[in-house]
Structure formats: C-alpha cells, structure tokens
C-alpha cells in the first residue's frame, strides 16, 4: 500500500484527461450496481448520449428496464476490462470491497489510466485504502456520493459530492453532471464521504424532531397542512421538512430509500465520530429510534418510518388528505436550492 504523498505524485503525472471524458461517445462506461441509484445513473447517461458499454449486478433481475443490447458480463473484472470508466453504486462497504478487490474485482480488470467513480455511501477508511490500491495499478479514483432524493436523481437534479484529485474531477464533470444539477468538489479523497454521511446524520435527526413537532402540533389542535406551510416559511424550516413531511402525510415514508440503508449510514457516522474524537450524542439518540423502527417494521420500509413508529406508539395518525400524488423538484436560486412542491391541483413553493 502506498502513502498519500506517493498517491498525489501519481495523480500529478496522470492529471490531464479533459479531452477523454468530455467526448460522449469516445469512451466506454460500465455501471456496477443496478439498484435505484445505479440504474438511474445509467439511464441519465444513455439519455444524454454517453456510451454505456456494460452493466453488472449480482441480481440478474436488476435493471431489466435498461436496453437489452448492453452486455452484462458475469464478473466486475470482465466489465472493467471492457470499459474506460467504471461507476459503482452499491449498498454498503462490504459490497464495495467485494466488487473492487480480488481476482474477479474491478481493479483486476480495469486498465492503467482507467477511472473508477464510486457513488456509494461507504466507509471512510475503506475508501482511502481502495484508492491507494487502485493507484498502485495506475487507476484513478473519484468518490461521488449523491444526495437529495430519488425524485431528483431521476430528473438529473441530484447533488453530487466529489472527493479526489481536482483535475480528475474537472475532467469527469461531463459524466457527473448527467445526474447532478449541482456537482460540488469537496477536497481530497474521503471528504465527500464525510459530507454525505454527515448529511444523512442531519436528515435522521430532522426526521425525529419533525415527527415530534407534528405530534405536538396535532395534539395541540393545529391543522397539519397549516403547520406544514407555517414551518416552510419559518426559521424552523429544513430540506427534510420540505421533502419528508409530505411522505409522512401520504403514508409512504420515502420508499425509495430504505431504513436499512439509513441505519447503515448512521453507523458510519458513529464510526467517524470515534475516529475523529467527536461526541455525537444527538445522533446517538436518533440512531436508537431508527434502530427501534428497523427492528419493529423491518429493514425494507422507507427511511422516514421512524415517524410511523412514533405515531403508532402514541396512536396519533399523521396522515393528511391532499398529499397522495405529491411530488417535488428543485430550482437553484442565486446559488441556493428552493423546493418546488406539486400535486394534481397545484404547484407551490415556486419562486
């Protein structure tokens, strides 16, 4: 394993690939992991005219709505050998390590000079270790976790957080921008992972406090739709309130992101707290509530299901009519993000 200094020297000698990744059809992209994120990334690239040359998922039924003429090699190594750029979007750190390492892994098949872009929300130290392992083989790496919700990813409007070599980031922007309305360079490798985990930590805490606020408001006689609008225009507003409260109101609890994955991310936050000696007491409380919801409701329910746990315990339903067909998008206003809500009846929140 090489140190960070040697890794930076390697990147310095392999820095300018702008012409390679700004040309949509000149280079071959492979996608590993065809769940919600990976399949949507593939669709966004195809829709924009990029060449997606290979797909792989351990589940043969995944991504069946993608074009059938795209090859599906049996192993990550075979896929990597067919491609110039490999992107991964996998559920958890063990999946990332399994796909990258070993004789059938990506690093065994991707040529020197190839690029690995990881959209997974994964382990900080493992990311650094795999990056150094890749550098020893002449492979360049960007971490690029996505955030904002599946509705935005399908619209190509998610936020992409990127860590790694700055020049490589610039060169790969044409690829990254197909799924991200906002693509933010965070710094050296590992910084994007920290930012993504912190974001999901904040989201979890917000879901818990949001639910407590709803329950308090309802028992105090406040109409929940009126409360929703009041908070949207107050100092208490958050992105979670704007995009998750309606999923409590319609009883779906964010089915596109499971509580099992969110609990995984909260544990990653706990591990970061230990690594950097930061007490995370509030997160610990939220994590306990999330774990209780997971144990009671199962790991495949939506990530906002702690709200269901709490409303059931108080026997106080939080569903509101009029949100059954609710959806949202975002608009960037003077470098800030505004949520635009819509139902069949109207669009509101638009600047």
């Amino acid at each position: 394993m090489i140190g960070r200094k040697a890794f930076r020297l390697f990147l310095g000698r392999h820095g300018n690939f702008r012409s390679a990744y700004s040309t949509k059809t000149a280079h071959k992209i492979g996608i590993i992991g065809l769940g919600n994120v990976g399949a949507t990334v593939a669709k966004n690239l195809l829709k924009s005219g990029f060449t997606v040359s290979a797909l792989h998922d351990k589940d043969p039924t995944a991504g069946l709505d993608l074009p059938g003429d795209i090859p599906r090699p049996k192993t990550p190594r075979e896929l990597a050998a067919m491609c110039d750029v490999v992107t991964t979007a996998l559920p958890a750190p063990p999946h990332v390590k399994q796909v990258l390492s070993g004789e059938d892994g990506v690093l065994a098949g991707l040529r020197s000079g190839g690029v690995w872009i990881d959209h997974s929300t994964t382990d900080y130290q493992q990311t650094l270790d795999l990056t150094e392992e890749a550098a020893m083989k002449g492979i360049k790496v960007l971490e690029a976790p996505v955030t904002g919700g599946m509705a935005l990813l399908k619209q190509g409007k998610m936020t992409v957080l990127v860590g790694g070599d700055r020049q490589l980031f610039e060169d790969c922007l044409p690829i990254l921008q197909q799924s991200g309305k906002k693509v933010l360079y965070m710094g050296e490798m590992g910084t994007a992972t920290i930012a993504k985990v912190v974001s999901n930590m904040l989201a979890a805490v917000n879901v818990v406090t949001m639910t407590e606020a709803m329950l308090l408001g309802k028992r105090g006689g406040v109409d929940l739709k009126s409360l929703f609008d009041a908070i949207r225009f107050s100092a208490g507003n958050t992105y979670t309130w704007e995009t998750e409260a309606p999923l409590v109101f319609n009883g779906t609890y964010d089915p596109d992101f499971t509580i099992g994955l969110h609990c995984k991310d909260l544990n990653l936050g706990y591990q970061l707290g230990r690594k950097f000696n930061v007490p995370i007491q509030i997160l610990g409380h939220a994590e306990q509530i999330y774990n209780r919801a997971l144990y009671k409701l199962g790991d495949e329910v939506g990530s906002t299901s702690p709200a269901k746990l709490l409303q059931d315990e108080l026997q106080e339903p939080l569903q509101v009519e009029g949100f059954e067909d609710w959806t949202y998008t975002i608009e960037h206003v003077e470098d800030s993000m505004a949520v635009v809500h819509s139902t069949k009846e109207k669009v509101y929140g638009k600047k």
Side-chain angles (χ1 to χ4, degrees):
M1 185 173 292
I2 64 174
R4 286 193 180 186
K5 183 176 181 181
F7 176 57
R8 291 193 187 99
L9 289 173
F10 162 80
L11 288 174
R13 293 193 295 268
H14 298 76
N16 189 7
F17 297 88
R18 181 172 302 279
S19 61
Y21 305 114
S22 60
T23 305
K24 291 183 178 181
T25 59
H27 291 268
K28 301 174 181 178
I29 303 172
I31 312 287
I32 298 179
L34 301 177
N36 283 335
V37 173
T40 306
V41 167
K43 291 172 187 175
N44 290 343
L45 289 168
L46 289 166
K47 183 168 59 177
S48 298
F50 282 83
T51 301
V52 176
S53 298
L55 304 168
H56 177 78
D57 195 289
K58 66 177 183 179
D59 179 2
T61 66
L64 291 182
D65 55 342
L66 291 164
D69 58 345
I70 300 177
R72 294 191 178 225
K74 293 182 179 180
T75 68
R77 177 176 181 167
E78 292 175 28
L79 176 142
M82 300 168 61
C83 299
D84 306 301
V85 179
V86 174
T87 72
T88 50
L90 300 163
H95 302 103
V96 177
K97 185 172 179 60
Q98 182 180 18
V99 161
L100 265 291
S101 299
E103 62 181 19
D104 286 327
V106 168
L107 299 183
L110 193 58
R111 64 174 176 80
S112 177
V115 175
W116 167 41
I117 300 173
D118 188 21
H119 291 302
S120 314
T121 303
T122 187
D123 180 76
Y124 171 82
Q125 188 59 51
Q126 178 178 284
T127 297
L128 299 184
D129 293 343
L130 288 174
T131 299
E132 292 195 350
E133 185 179 342
M136 294 178 68
K137 298 175 180 289
I139 295 167
K140 302 174 293 298
V141 183
L142 289 176
E143 54 170 350
V146 294
T147 184
M150 280 304 301
L152 295 186
L153 181 58
K154 292 173 182 177
Q155 300 168 37
K157 291 185 176 182
M158 252 200 176
T159 298
V160 186
L161 309 174
V162 186
D165 176 66
R166 181 64 188 246
Q167 185 60 59
L168 182 61
F169 162 74
E170 297 287 349
D171 297 338
C172 291
L173 262 178
I175 294 173
L176 298 168
Q177 287 172 331
Q178 304 316 307
S179 295
K181 178 77 172 179
K182 196 74 172 177
V183 183
L184 300 175
Y185 179 70
M186 302 305 301
E188 65 180 21
M189 191 63 64
T191 55
T193 291
I194 293 173
K196 173 60 189 295
V197 170
V198 166
S199 175
N200 282 7
M201 290 165 59
L202 289 170
V205 172
N206 283 329
V207 164
V208 173
T209 56
M210 172 188 79
T211 306
E212 292 175 348
M214 289 178 179
L215 290 166
L216 179 60
K218 184 176 181 184
R219 285 200 167 178
V222 181
D223 174 74
L224 286 179
K225 173 60 172 63
S226 298
L227 181 64
F228 176 60
D229 289 336
I231 299 303
R232 287 180 55 238
F233 291 98
S234 77
N237 193 29
T238 66
Y239 185 80
T240 300
W241 180 270
E242 294 243 21
T243 62
E244 301 294 320
L247 301 177
V248 176
F249 294 156
N250 66 25
T252 60
Y253 305 102
D254 196 359
D256 288 327
F257 184 50
T258 69
I259 196 170
L261 290 177
H262 207 154
C263 285
K264 176 265 297 183
D265 294 346
L266 296 182
N267 185 58
L268 292 174
Y270 172 74
Q271 297 298 331
L272 285 172
R274 292 189 63 184
K275 180 176 181 63
F276 296 113
N277 297 316
V278 176
I280 44 177
Q281 295 165 290
I282 303 302
L283 172 68
H285 180 61
E287 186 175 14
Q288 290 179 35
I289 295 173
Y290 264 74
N291 285 335
R292 278 203 294 124
L294 182 146
Y295 301 149
K296 184 171 183 178
L297 303 173
D299 61 1
E300 292 297 320
V301 298
S303 63
T304 313
S305 292
K308 177 171 173 54
L309 175 78
L310 296 175
Q311 73 173 36
D312 288 353
E313 289 179 346
L314 269 66
Q315 297 183 332
E316 195 70 70
L318 295 174
Q319 281 60 65
V320 178
E321 290 186 3
F323 285 86
E324 295 80 6
D325 60 345
W326 173 89
T327 187
Y328 74 98
T329 187
I330 60 166
E331 290 186 357
H332 288 278
V333 181
E334 296 180 355
D335 210 33
S336 294
M337 189 167 66
V339 180
V340 180
H341 306 260
S342 64
T343 65
K344 286 182 179 178
E345 285 72 30
K346 66 174 183 175
V347 176
Y348 60 103
K350 193 176 181 67
K351 298 291 184 182

